[in-house]
Coordinates of all heavy atoms in Angstrom, one line a residue:
R109 N -90.5 29.4 -93.7 CA -89.4 28.7 -92.7 C -89.9 28.4 -91.5 O -90.4 27.3 -91.3 CB -88.1 29.7 -92.8 CG -87.4 29.8 -94.0 CD -86.2 30.7 -93.9 NE -86.5 32.0 -93.6 CZ -86.8 32.9 -94.4 NH1 -87.0 32.6 -95.7 NH2 -87.1 34.2 -94.2
S110 N -89.9 29.3 -90.6 CA -90.5 28.9 -89.3 C -91.7 29.7 -88.8 O -91.8 30.2 -87.7 CB -89.4 29.0 -88.1 OG -89.0 30.3 -88.2
H111 N -92.5 30.3 -89.8 CA -93.5 31.2 -89.5 C -94.7 31.0 -90.5 O -94.6 30.8 -91.7 CB -93.0 32.7 -89.8 CG -94.0 33.7 -89.4 ND1 -94.8 33.8 -88.3 CD2 -94.5 34.7 -90.3 CE1 -95.5 34.8 -88.3 NE2 -95.4 35.5 -89.5
W112 N -95.9 30.9 -89.9 CA -97.1 30.6 -90.6 C -97.9 32.0 -90.9 O -98.0 32.8 -90.0 CB -98.0 29.8 -89.9 CG -97.6 28.3 -89.8 CD1 -97.3 27.7 -88.6 CD2 -97.7 27.4 -90.7 NE1 -97.0 26.4 -89.0 CE2 -97.3 26.2 -90.2 CE3 -98.1 27.3 -92.1 CZ2 -97.2 24.9 -90.8 CZ3 -98.1 26.2 -92.8 CH2 -97.6 25.0 -92.2
T113 N -98.3 32.2 -92.1 CA -99.2 33.3 -92.4 C -100.3 32.9 -93.3 O -100.3 31.5 -93.6 CB -98.4 34.4 -93.2 OG1 -97.9 33.8 -94.5 CG2 -97.2 34.9 -92.4
L114 N -101.2 33.8 -93.8 CA -102.3 33.3 -94.6 C -102.5 34.3 -95.8 O -102.5 35.4 -95.6 CB -103.6 33.3 -93.7 CG -104.8 32.9 -94.4 CD1 -104.9 31.2 -94.5 CD2 -106.1 33.3 -93.7
L115 N -102.8 33.7 -96.9 CA -103.4 34.4 -98.0 C -104.9 34.1 -98.2 O -105.4 32.9 -98.0 CB -102.6 34.0 -99.4 CG -101.5 34.6 -100.0 CD1 -101.1 34.0 -101.3 CD2 -101.8 36.2 -100.3
A116 N -105.6 35.2 -98.4 CA -107.1 34.9 -98.5 C -107.5 35.7 -99.9 O -107.3 36.9 -100.0 CB -107.8 35.5 -97.5
V117 N -108.0 34.9 -100.9 CA -108.5 35.4 -102.2 C -109.9 35.4 -102.0 O -110.7 34.4 -101.6 CB -108.1 34.3 -103.3 CG1 -108.7 35.0 -104.6 CG2 -106.7 34.3 -103.3
D118 N -110.6 36.7 -102.2 CA -112.0 36.7 -102.3 C -112.3 37.0 -103.8 O -112.2 38.1 -104.3 CB -112.5 38.0 -101.4 CG -114.1 38.0 -101.3 OD1 -114.8 37.6 -102.4 OD2 -114.5 38.5 -100.3
L119 N -112.9 35.9 -104.3 CA -113.3 36.0 -105.9 C -114.4 36.9 -106.1 O -114.6 37.3 -107.1 CB -113.5 34.6 -106.3 CG -112.2 33.6 -106.4 CD1 -112.7 32.1 -106.4 CD2 -111.3 34.1 -107.5
R120 N -115.2 37.0 -105.1 CA -116.4 38.0 -105.3 C -116.0 39.5 -105.5 O -116.5 40.2 -106.3 CB -117.4 37.9 -104.0 CG -117.8 36.5 -103.8 CD -118.4 36.4 -102.4 NE -117.3 36.6 -101.3 CZ -117.6 36.5 -100.1 NH1 -118.9 36.1 -99.6 NH2 -116.7 36.7 -99.2
G121 N -115.1 39.8 -104.7 CA -114.6 41.2 -104.7 C -113.3 41.4 -105.4 O -112.7 42.4 -105.5
K122 N -112.7 40.3 -106.0 CA -111.5 40.2 -106.7 C -110.4 41.0 -105.9 O -109.7 42.0 -106.3 CB -111.6 41.0 -108.0 CG -112.6 40.5 -109.0 CD -112.6 41.1 -110.3 CE -113.5 40.4 -111.3 NZ -113.6 41.0 -112.6
T123 N -110.1 40.4 -104.7 CA -109.1 41.0 -103.7 C -108.2 39.8 -103.4 O -108.7 38.6 -103.2 CB -109.7 41.6 -102.5 OG1 -110.4 40.7 -101.8 CG2 -110.6 42.8 -102.8
I124 N -107.0 40.1 -103.1 CA -106.0 39.2 -102.5 C -105.4 39.7 -101.3 O -104.8 40.8 -101.4 CB -104.9 38.6 -103.5 CG1 -105.6 37.9 -104.7 CG2 -104.0 37.8 -102.9 CD1 -104.7 37.6 -105.7
K125 N -105.7 39.2 -100.1 CA -105.2 40.0 -98.9 C -104.2 38.9 -98.1 O -104.4 37.8 -98.2 CB -106.3 40.3 -98.0 CG -107.2 41.5 -98.6 CD -108.2 41.8 -97.6 CE -109.1 43.0 -98.2 NZ -110.2 43.4 -97.2
Y126 N -103.1 39.5 -97.5 CA -102.1 38.8 -97.0 C -102.2 39.0 -95.3 O -102.1 40.4 -95.0 CB -100.7 39.2 -97.5 CG -99.5 38.4 -96.8 CD1 -99.4 37.0 -97.1 CD2 -98.7 39.1 -96.1 CE1 -98.4 36.4 -96.5 CE2 -97.6 38.4 -95.5 CZ -97.3 37.0 -95.6 OH -96.3 36.4 -95.1
F127 N -102.3 38.1 -94.6 CA -102.5 38.2 -93.1 C -101.2 37.7 -92.4 O -101.0 36.5 -92.5 CB -103.7 37.4 -92.7 CG -104.9 38.1 -93.2 CD1 -105.5 37.8 -94.6 CD2 -105.7 38.9 -92.4 CE1 -106.6 38.3 -95.1 CE2 -107.0 39.4 -93.0 CZ -107.4 39.1 -94.2
D128 N -100.4 38.5 -91.8 CA -99.2 38.1 -91.1 C -99.4 38.7 -89.7 O -99.5 39.9 -89.5 CB -98.0 38.7 -91.8 CG -96.7 38.0 -91.2 OD1 -96.6 37.8 -90.0 OD2 -95.7 38.1 -91.9
S129 N -99.3 37.8 -88.7 CA -99.4 38.3 -87.3 C -98.1 38.9 -86.7 O -98.2 39.1 -85.6 CB -99.9 37.0 -86.5 OG -98.9 36.0 -86.6
L130 N -97.2 38.8 -87.5 CA -95.8 39.6 -87.1 C -95.8 40.9 -87.9 O -94.8 41.6 -87.9 CB -94.7 38.7 -87.4 CG -94.5 37.6 -86.3 CD1 -93.2 36.8 -86.7 CD2 -94.3 38.2 -85.0
G131 N -96.8 41.2 -88.8 CA -96.9 42.4 -89.4 C -95.9 42.7 -90.6 O -95.7 43.8 -91.1
Q132 N -95.4 41.6 -91.1 CA -94.5 41.6 -92.3 C -95.4 41.8 -93.6 O -96.3 41.3 -93.6 CB -93.6 40.4 -92.4 CG -92.7 40.3 -91.2 CD -91.9 39.0 -91.1 OE1 -90.8 38.8 -91.6 NE2 -92.6 37.8 -90.5
K133 N -94.7 42.5 -94.5 CA -95.5 42.6 -95.9 C -95.3 41.4 -96.7 O -94.3 40.8 -96.7 CB -94.9 43.8 -96.6 CG -95.1 45.2 -95.8 CD -96.8 45.6 -95.8 CE -96.9 46.9 -95.3 NZ -98.4 47.2 -95.2
G134 N -96.4 41.2 -97.5 CA -96.3 39.9 -98.3 C -96.8 40.3 -99.7 O -97.4 39.5 -100.4
D135 N -96.4 41.5 -100.2 CA -96.8 42.0 -101.4 C -96.4 41.0 -102.6 O -97.2 40.7 -103.6 CB -96.2 43.4 -101.9 CG -96.9 44.4 -100.8 OD1 -97.8 44.2 -100.1 OD2 -96.3 45.5 -100.8
H136 N -95.2 40.6 -102.4 CA -94.7 39.6 -103.5 C -95.5 38.2 -103.5 O -95.8 37.6 -104.4 CB -93.2 39.4 -103.5 CG -92.9 38.5 -102.0 ND1 -93.0 39.1 -100.9 CD2 -92.5 37.2 -101.9 CE1 -92.6 38.2 -100.0 NE2 -92.3 37.1 -100.5
I137 N -95.9 37.9 -102.3 CA -96.8 36.7 -102.1 C -98.2 36.9 -102.9 O -98.6 35.9 -103.5 CB -96.9 36.3 -100.6 CG1 -95.6 35.9 -100.1 CG2 -97.8 35.2 -100.5 CD1 -95.5 35.7 -98.7
C138 N -98.7 38.1 -102.6 CA -99.9 38.4 -103.3 C -99.8 38.4 -104.8 O -100.6 37.9 -105.6 CB -100.5 39.7 -102.8 SG -101.1 39.8 -101.1
K139 N -98.7 38.9 -105.3 CA -98.4 38.9 -106.8 C -98.3 37.5 -107.4 O -98.8 37.2 -108.5 CB -97.2 39.7 -107.1 CG -97.5 41.3 -106.9 CD -96.2 42.1 -107.1 CE -96.4 43.5 -106.8 NZ -95.1 44.2 -106.8

Side-chain angles (χ1 to χ4, degrees):
R109 293 182 294 279
S110 58
H111 182 51
W112 290 106
T113 64
L114 181 78
L115 261 181
V117 179
D118 190 327
L119 291 163
R120 301 163 297 181
K122 296 184 179 179
T123 63
I124 301 175
K125 293 182 179 179
Y126 181 68
F127 295 77
D128 188 332
S129 55
L130 285 179
Q132 300 171 96
K133 295 291 184 186
D135 296 349
H136 65 292
I137 296 175
C138 292
K139 288 175 183 173

